[in-house]
Amino acid sequence: MLSIVVASGKGGTGKTTIATSLALACAALPTWLVDCDVEAPNAHLIVRPQLERRQEVGILIPEVDHERCTGCGRCAQVCQYHAVAVVGRRVLVFPQLCHGCGSCNYNCPEKAIRERLDIMGVLESGPTPSGVRFARGVMHVGEAMASPIIRQLKAWVRAETGPSPHDQLLILDAPPGVSCPVVETLRSADFALLVTEPTPFGLHDLRLINEVIRQLEMPAGVIINRDGIGNAQVEKFCEAAGLPILMRIPLERNIGQGLASGLPLIDIRPEYRARFRELADHIRSMVQGKPT
Amino acid sequence: MKIAISATDGNIEAPYAPNFGRAAYFVLMDTDTDTWQAVANPGMSASGGAGVQAAQLVINQGAQAVISGSFGPHAYQALEAAGLPMYLAPAGIASSVRQLVDWFKAGRLHVIGGPTNAAGHGATGQAAQGRR
């Protein structure tokens, strides 16, 4: 199985546009599309899944047994995230800061800390009319941490893919930006497909995401979306950074209009279907080290 | 009594720090003896939980009241649980720590009844991270 993460750096460059069309073009392989932008998922608008499976997810947060607690303050001392404060003999837990690491209850000398599951969101999956298998995570409004949901979403999908045929394709639509949720999405993937626009903003954030994929030692390539606007700085950067430019999608009003009405790129411009098939094959060759 | 004032530097003439959790220092003033000391705030550059960390610090230092420009919800919760009244520095004036202590002693500062900011926003009220 080949896993490709579609990431960007700058938001709004066209990750979902590309991830959905790449998946649709390769639907027969079979292909999974996993929407990892759990704060604002939107891939379902294009591929229109029938969501049949559902699972709540969360992290284990501490609950203090006040009978056993002596107010020693050890839990607050060991918490790296300052999610626990000890005020006199009262222990305050801040669930929004808690990362569910378990250090507090592990270190409590009185064994006064229990763990309870704090539900933060939901995982959903199901088939789509095109045959693409779809999964996503949705974080509940008001929650602050996407990474645990993304981690569990990926594990959930792995469990569902089962013994995978060699040609199976897993496409992950990453959140925008370069912070923890994006790193969590990228982790253990075979290839990072970086979508950018040829503008100074696009370049600035492409540099940042490039740093991340370098640290993760992940092969990557670039798609320039809205080609024709801005300048040639992005191309110069890609050449200097050793990032192959795998596709260019020119700026076209029709594409924007079609996307706004929920159509995938390959329906608006059918010639892209073959181009995305070729892109998937090309990426597979790059990952497997075969000459293209 | 011992009061803690959020400060931009570790001395009594420094301007106060506009946000409690992200202050560089806290000046701890004993209003009975007029002696003071400054402690650095480890929460200043924390990625999260700065308010909690700063609150824990001033609580552990034995402060009985706090003065700052703004208090986020976690700082507010922790300080309120400890029974520390939170006083607000007058807005729009770059007062020194000393000036705030004088106003406090004169009874001219107001206590807040709830956090002044949403989480992670700091004194400017802008979101900590922009999206798209």
Side-chain angles (χ1 to χ4, degrees), chain A residues 37 39-40 76 82 85-87 90 92 94 97 176, chain B residues 48-49 52-53 56 59 74 77-78 81-82 131-132:
Chain A
D37 188 359
E39 290 184 68
H82 308 292
V86 176
V87 175
R90 267 183 74 179
L92 298 176
F94 297 89
L97 298 172
Chain B
V52 179
Q53 198 173 8
Q56 187 81 80
I59 290 165
H74 291 156
Q77 213 179 324
R131 263 179 67 92
R132 302 189 200 275

Side-chain angles (χ1 to χ4, degrees), chain A residues 85-149:
Chain A
V86 176
V87 175
R89 268 203 59 189
R90 267 183 74 179
V91 178
L92 298 176
V93 175
F94 297 89
Q96 283 206 321
L97 298 172
C98 177
H99 283 55
C101 74
S103 281
C104 53
N105 77 332
Y106 184 85
N107 283 285
C108 174
E110 310 299 327
K111 296 290 161 243
I113 300 182
R114 281 186 302 267
E115 293 179 315
R116 71 168 178 87
L117 184 63
D118 186 46
I119 300 292
M120 301 162 64
V122 65
L123 307 179
E124 297 171 316
S125 73
T128 67
S130 61
V132 168
R133 311 281 299 282
F134 179 82
R136 71 176 186 177
V138 186
M139 186 161 87
H140 289 334
V141 172
E143 291 292 341
M145 270 193 298
S147 299
I149 301 175

Side-chain angles (χ1 to χ4, degrees), chain B residues 57-109:
Chain B
L57 172 67
V58 303
I59 290 165
N60 291 350
Q61 289 287 332
Q64 295 157 290
V66 185
I67 308 174
S68 184
S70 58
F71 297 85
H74 291 156
Y76 182 84
Q77 213 179 324
L79 293 169
E80 198 209 21
L84 267 59
M86 288 158 263
Y87 291 85
L88 215 53
I93 312 169
S95 324
S96 66
V97 171
R98 181 198 289 284
Q99 274 178 305
L100 289 180
V101 173
D102 290 343
W103 280 329
F104 171 81
K105 284 179 173 175
R108 292 175 60 186
L109 297 182

Side-chain angles (χ1 to χ4, degrees), chain A residues 4 11 34 58 96-97 102 106 117 120 126 165 190 243 251 273 286:
Chain A
I4 301 173
V34 184
Q96 283 206 321
L97 298 172
Y106 184 85
L117 184 63
M120 301 162 64
D190 296 316
L243 283 167
L251 175 71
R273 182 180 284 270
M286 288 171 77

